[in-house]
Amino acid sequence: MENQIDTVADLVGAIVAEMDRLNYKPSVIKQYRIVWDKLCTHSGEMPVSDFSIEHGMNFLEDVLHIRSHPLSESTSHRWMKAIYVVSDFNRTGVLTLRKPGREFVFAGAAAVPFQTYVDSMAAKGLSAAHIRNSSTYLERLAAFLDHAGLEDISGLDHVHVHGFVESLAIYELPTIYHTVCVLRGVLGYLHEEGLVLRDLSPLVPRIRYTKKARIPSAYSRGEVEQMVAAIDRDNPRGRRDLALILLAARLGLRASDIAGLRFSNLKWEQDAIEIVQHKTGRVLVLPLLNDVGEAIIDYLRNARPHSDSEYVFLKLNGPCEPMRPLSIHAVVHTRLKAAGVAIPPGKKHGPHALRHSLASALLEKKVPLPAISAALGHSDTGSTAAYLKIDLGQLRGCALDVPGLYQGYLDSLGGGGNEG
């Protein structure tokens, strides 16, 4: 990056310049610029050294509160991705957007040797899909080396390897695994071709990974309770946030289902919540636990804006419109951070993490697998086993036929239906 980057606006300018260099379509750049321009306005003259993913999440929450029209699911995803791109680029100097169907551009000193390596894969008869996937990671590596100031590929050394591996901490395990595999391969190739004097491939750590070995980003029960206890219930935002967070933490509802919760879903006389899951389209009935029901009632009586909307959770500022899933994600992240809960790089920090946390806590308490599956809204125990990374030993300890489907689930939470 040639220009000095002092502010968030400078950082955004550098990202757009990089997208131009990589021949991204103007329409794609425009979509992301909509978010980034708002971010720059929100950040003012903030030094780039002060920017963090937390600042980006707070920006999203503030902006979504004042929007006159809700975002679609795809647009919400793009807005979130736009913030992560800024954070990643600020940290590594690497553009992490993927652009299917384009030609890959290897930057700087790696341009020729990496292209030669790609050509060698084609000559060996490797599939086009494998080559394209490898090129994705090679492009990211080339950009990292260029950002690190590597002028000639012969100067590649252990510092570059370790630095690039450390930069992968922001990604999830599958991405890290595939990236280090490609890194090991290209380093071996560069040594074999005499382009790098030392074989650096043994420096690349070996990651154990299978498709069913992904570890959920769960928080301990203590961390979840720490977040809940830290919420100030003496103001409307705190009352609302407590209610929606308990729906995720106690019942495992997804952000989309919390955002879509209607008054008709609250079955007060049956002490239950009945929804049609947004993701699966299947009906899910869950017990309305005491603390969840009390938090919802407190929010409805003392915090919810006056509105005839059928949706339970509304924006507190601006038009009384339903909250969106992205905004609920921002609420959970903000509350975790405010409570002092550690969020390591790459760990999820939204409602889905609370969903994982609930499932893990139930498993630890030996709740039968069918009850956990029912609580999560999974159609079969196999999905739950993969979701929780359960081994065969754990499966043997989970009875597959138990009476009172929710009893163990309720007992483990210390909750129950609302009385009266």
Side-chain angles (χ1 to χ4, degrees):
M1 293 177 286
E2 298 179 355
N3 297 329
Q4 182 71 23
I5 298 179
D6 297 317
T7 66
V8 173
D10 295 335
L11 182 63
V12 168
I15 294 172
V16 173
E18 181 71 357
M19 294 178 75
D20 283 331
R21 187 183 72 81
L22 296 175
N23 298 318
Y24 278 79
K25 292 181 180 180
S27 59
V28 174
I29 297 176
K30 181 179 180 180
Q31 288 178 336
Y32 286 96
R33 281 298 298 263
I34 292 173
V35 185
W36 292 335
D37 288 346
K38 293 180 182 296
L39 174 65
C40 291
T41 300
H42 182 272
S43 303
E45 295 298 318
M46 172 183 283
V48 70
S49 58
D50 291 345
F51 179 81
S52 65
I53 192 65
E54 288 80 11
H55 174 79
M57 291 299 103
N58 289 336
F59 151 74
L60 286 178
E61 183 179 8
D62 291 344
V63 141
L64 291 175
H65 278 315
I66 63 176
R67 278 187 59 83
S68 58
H69 300 289
L71 298 176
S72 65
E73 290 292 331
S74 60
T75 303
S76 295
H77 176 75
R78 185 169 64 250
W79 280 47
M80 180 75 76
K81 187 174 183 180
I83 297 304
Y84 277 105
V85 166
V86 174
S87 177
D88 294 351
F89 194 84
N90 185 35
R91 183 173 182 270
T92 67
V94 178
L95 185 64
T96 53
L97 278 169
R98 298 178 66 183
K99 186 169 183 288
R102 63 175 172 84
E103 294 298 322
F104 291 93
V105 178
F106 305 124
V112 174
F114 279 17
Q115 186 58 56
T116 304
Y117 177 58
V118 170
D119 293 341
S120 72
M121 288 193 287
K124 292 177 181 178
L126 298 179
S127 70
H130 176 81
I131 294 173
R132 174 162 290 278
N133 290 336
S134 298
S135 296
T136 299
Y137 305 119
L138 287 172
E139 185 179 64
R140 188 174 296 159
L141 172 60
F144 176 87
L145 296 175
D146 189 44
H147 180 70
L150 183 66
E151 296 182 355
D152 189 278
I153 200 66
S154 63
L156 185 65
D157 61 20
H158 67 284
V159 175
H160 298 110
V161 175
H162 291 317
F164 180 66
V165 171
E166 289 178 1
S167 75
L168 301 178
I170 60 176
Y171 301 106
E172 295 189 19
L173 182 59
T175 300
I176 296 174
Y177 170 78
H178 292 298
T179 303
V180 297
C181 287
V182 171
L183 175 61
R184 191 177 299 111
V186 72
L187 290 176
Y189 170 83
L190 294 174
H191 175 63
E192 291 172 1
E193 294 297 315
L195 299 175
V196 175
L197 183 60
R198 176 188 174 191
D199 183 6
L200 300 172
S201 60
L203 299 178
V204 181
R206 293 192 174 275
I207 308 295
R208 296 183 63 185
Y209 164 75
T210 62
K211 284 188 176 180
K212 290 189 177 182
R214 286 183 283 184
I215 301 175
S217 288
Y219 294 87
S220 69
R221 186 169 182 179
E223 288 174 322
V224 173
E225 294 310 310
Q226 178 181 334
M227 173 187 59
V228 171
I231 298 175
D232 181 2
R233 294 90 186 265
D234 292 331
N235 60 78
R237 188 176 297 276
R239 289 187 169 101
R240 184 205 65 184
D241 291 358
L242 176 64
L244 65 86
I245 282 175
L246 287 180
L247 285 168
R250 301 285 192 262
L251 300 181
L253 291 188
R254 301 179 179 91
S256 56
D257 292 328
I258 296 172
L261 189 68
R262 296 171 168 85
F263 286 101
S264 58
N265 299 129
L266 302 174
K267 310 298 183 182
W268 297 105
E269 294 183 357
Q270 290 80 38
D271 299 330
I273 293 178
E274 181 178 335
I275 64 171
V276 176
Q277 297 174 89
H278 182 271
K279 181 178 180 179
T280 65
R282 291 192 292 269
V283 174
L284 175 65
V285 181
L286 294 172
L288 187 54
L289 306 181
N290 281 332
D291 57 350
V292 179
E294 290 168 0
I296 293 175
I297 291 173
D298 185 38
Y299 158 67
L300 295 178
R301 288 177 175 173
N302 303 306
R304 187 178 184 270
H306 295 291
S307 172
D308 294 330
S309 174
E310 62 180 327
Y311 292 94
V312 174
F313 293 105
L314 305 178
K315 298 177 182 179
L316 296 179
N317 301 320
C320 295
E321 295 181 346
M323 294 182 70
R324 306 298 294 174
L326 182 58
S327 185
I328 292 173
H329 184 287
V331 166
V332 174
H333 181 223
T334 300
R335 293 299 181 177
L336 282 169
K337 179 175 176 290
V341 176
I343 307 175
K347 186 170 185 176
K348 294 184 182 299
H349 41 69
H352 211 71
L354 298 183
R355 178 176 165 85
H356 276 296
S357 303
L358 171 65
S360 298
L362 295 176
L363 181 65
E364 289 174 3
K365 286 185 170 292
K366 307 300 183 183
V367 174
L369 193 59
I372 300 177
S373 297
L376 297 178
H378 288 164
S379 60
D380 59 75
T381 55
S383 297
T384 310
Y387 187 86
L388 286 169
K389 192 192 172 187
I390 300 175
D391 62 26
L392 291 178
Q394 288 174 301
L395 280 174
R396 294 189 187 100
C398 295
L400 295 180
D401 185 18
V402 295
L405 190 60
Y406 292 114
Q407 193 55 55
Y409 168 60
L410 294 176
D411 291 343
S412 71
L413 293 174
N418 291 323
E419 296 179 2

